[in-house]
Amino acid sequence: MESTGVTLRYVEQGRQDGPVVVFLHGYTDSHHTWDLDLPRFPRD
């Protein structure tokens, strides 16, 4: 929980030493917004 009282949830995928890509969805969406896009990216 952040100091503002907001809980920030996130999903990690892939290698820890790989490049970082951040997908940020709108306020009313969820991480499922990217369900059709994530398979296009390598899991590693």
Side-chain angles (χ1 to χ4, degrees), residues 13 23 31-43:
Q13 177 176 311
F23 293 89
H31 69 278
H32 294 292
T33 299
W34 311 114
D35 284 350
L36 295 176
D37 298 300
L38 286 178
R40 298 170 190 235
F41 289 86
R43 292 193 58 84

Side-chain angles (χ1 to χ4, degrees), residues 2-42:
E2 299 292 318
S3 62
T4 59
V6 174
T7 300
L8 180 63
R9 300 182 192 275
Y10 60 93
V11 176
E12 291 186 18
Q13 177 176 311
R15 295 186 347 213
Q16 290 184 349
D17 62 342
V20 175
V21 177
V22 177
F23 293 89
L24 184 62
H25 60 74
Y27 177 72
T28 58
D29 288 336
S30 74
H31 69 278
H32 294 292
T33 299
W34 311 114
D35 284 350
L36 295 176
D37 298 300
L38 286 178
R40 298 170 190 235
F41 289 86

